[in-house]
Amino acid sequence: MNGADTAWVMVATALVLFMTLPGLALFYGGLVRARNVLSVFMHCFAIAALMSVLWLVLGYSIAFGGEGAFWGGLGKSFLWGVAPDSLTGTIPEVLFFAFQMTFAIITPALIVGAFAERVKFAPLMLFVVAWLTVVYFPIAHMVWYWAGPDFLVDAPADMGYLWGMGALDFAGGTVVHINAGIAGLVGCIMIGKRIGYGKEATPPHSMTMTMIGASLLWVGWFGFNAGSNLEANGLAALAFINTFVATAAAAVAWCLIEQFHHGKPSLLGAVTGAVAGLVAITPASGFAAPMTSILLGFIASGVCYVFVAYVKNKLKY
């Protein structure tokens, strides 16, 4: 065990939880109508609590157990066989469990934004439990699980299906963002439009709240990306700076696009661009260089702007 690595991942774990509570809750809460703010807060908070229990009961075992290419089995349910001195790399396995638990918390919480104001509490909780069990845990196993380099030397490969195909996802682009994005898109289409959509104005009720939430997401994302290195070293520092500059570039790009398109930038556009940059750099944060991260941020903002301003309206979702 390495003390510096352990300390850093403990901090990163707290930062990723900070992204959901209160970061994401505030970000979404400011975007909805005032009467629905508490509903969004409750959804995010309840998901964090419920998913923490579910991760302990079966999620960690399915995602990071070693029984197959698609499914990790139930051998580590309730942390069975995981002792305080068990290691994952240079950190305690219980800390790796906690770090990954925060990812399992924020992923379903991200989905909430796609159909905020249109879903009841109990059905949402049932959906989240089912979706994590059937979708998130197996995808996490397929993309992230492998038994480690020592194992590959002495025995046949034991790894997730997509990992074995060469998938590169440093911190969650596939497991978290594509996963949550597709679920949110399908969910909003299945549930349908808000009452009064297109007939009455529904502006964000508090851009102050949304700006604070986006800022907390940016801060927490350093734990998300740099923490995924699981070691306090130069690669973690690279992921850190890539996260910094890609986000900044994406925010600048969105503001520039709005300046040309509408004559002035908006706070909503700036924070939306920042989140687009955070998402875009996540899978590449440990692989890219700072200058290419800036380029990626600019491209991500442009693509996302087109979808928000044109594609979404054209397809009527």
Side-chain angles (χ1 to χ4, degrees):
M1 186 181 74
N2 182 283
D5 297 342
T6 300
W8 162 235
V9 178
M10 290 176 71
V11 171
T13 300
L15 286 171
V16 181
L17 179 61
F18 194 56
M19 291 170 65
T20 305
L21 302 174
L24 190 67
L26 288 169
F27 181 75
Y28 283 160
L31 293 174
V32 299
R33 287 170 282 193
R35 66 175 181 265
N36 293 313
V37 174
L38 290 182
S39 171
V40 172
F41 283 3
M42 181 59 180
H43 290 168
C44 291
F45 195 91
I47 284 172
L50 182 59
M51 292 312 101
S52 298
V53 175
L54 185 65
W55 185 248
L56 174 67
V57 172
L58 54 82
Y60 179 69
S61 184
I62 294 172
F64 292 100
E67 291 191 1
F70 299 93
W71 177 268
L74 300 176
K76 291 188 175 182
S77 296
F78 302 96
L79 282 183
W80 183 262
V82 178
D85 58 352
S86 301
L87 295 180
T88 296
T90 60
I91 65 172
E93 187 175 1
V94 289
L95 177 56
F96 178 72
F97 161 88
F99 181 65
Q100 288 296 335
M101 180 167 66
T102 59
F103 283 66
I105 287 170
I106 196 171
T107 305
L110 288 168
I111 301 171
V112 167
F115 37 74
E117 305 183 298
R118 289 174 286 167
V119 62
K120 291 184 178 180
F121 179 77
L124 176 63
M125 294 300 108
L126 292 173
F127 163 76
V128 166
V129 170
W131 183 83
L132 277 163
T133 304
V134 176
V135 179
Y136 180 84
F137 299 154
I139 290 291
H141 180 82
M142 284 188 270
V143 174
W144 277 337
Y145 174 75
W146 69 311
D150 295 336
F151 186 87
L152 297 178
V153 173
D154 302 323
D158 179 16
M159 61 183 68
Y161 176 71
L162 294 174
W163 178 285
M165 293 179 68
L168 296 175
D169 185 0
F170 190 82
T174 300
V175 179
V176 177
H177 299 129
I178 293 175
N179 228 356
I182 291 173
L185 177 60
V186 173
C188 81
I189 292 172
M190 294 291 291
I191 291 174
K193 297 178 181 178
R194 291 170 175 81
I195 295 174
Y197 179 79
K199 299 178 181 178
E200 58 184 64
T202 56
H205 98 278
S206 175
M207 280 309 305
T208 301
M209 188 180 292
T210 295
M211 185 272 175
I212 294 171
S215 302
L216 294 176
L217 283 170
W218 192 347
V219 173
W221 223 290
F222 292 120
F224 198 92
N225 286 354
S228 291
N229 190 54
L230 302 179
E231 295 179 341
N233 58 20
L235 189 57
L238 176 65
F240 195 102
I241 190 61
N242 285 342
T243 302
F244 218 140
V245 297
T247 308
V252 169
W254 200 290
C255 290
L256 289 173
I257 294 170
E258 285 191 328
Q259 180 68 45
F260 286 110
H261 191 191
H262 298 296
K264 64 177 182 179
S266 68
L267 178 59
L268 178 58
V271 298
T272 301
V275 173
L278 288 165
V279 171
I281 193 58
T282 292
S285 55
F287 307 121
M291 287 305 297
T292 50
S293 298
I294 290 176
L295 180 61
L296 182 60
F298 272 98
I299 294 171
S301 250
V303 172
C304 290
Y305 187 89
V306 168
F307 271 81
V308 169
Y310 298 104
V311 176
K312 178 180 175 182
N313 294 328
K314 188 175 181 64
L315 297 182
K316 302 184 187 303
Y317 61 81

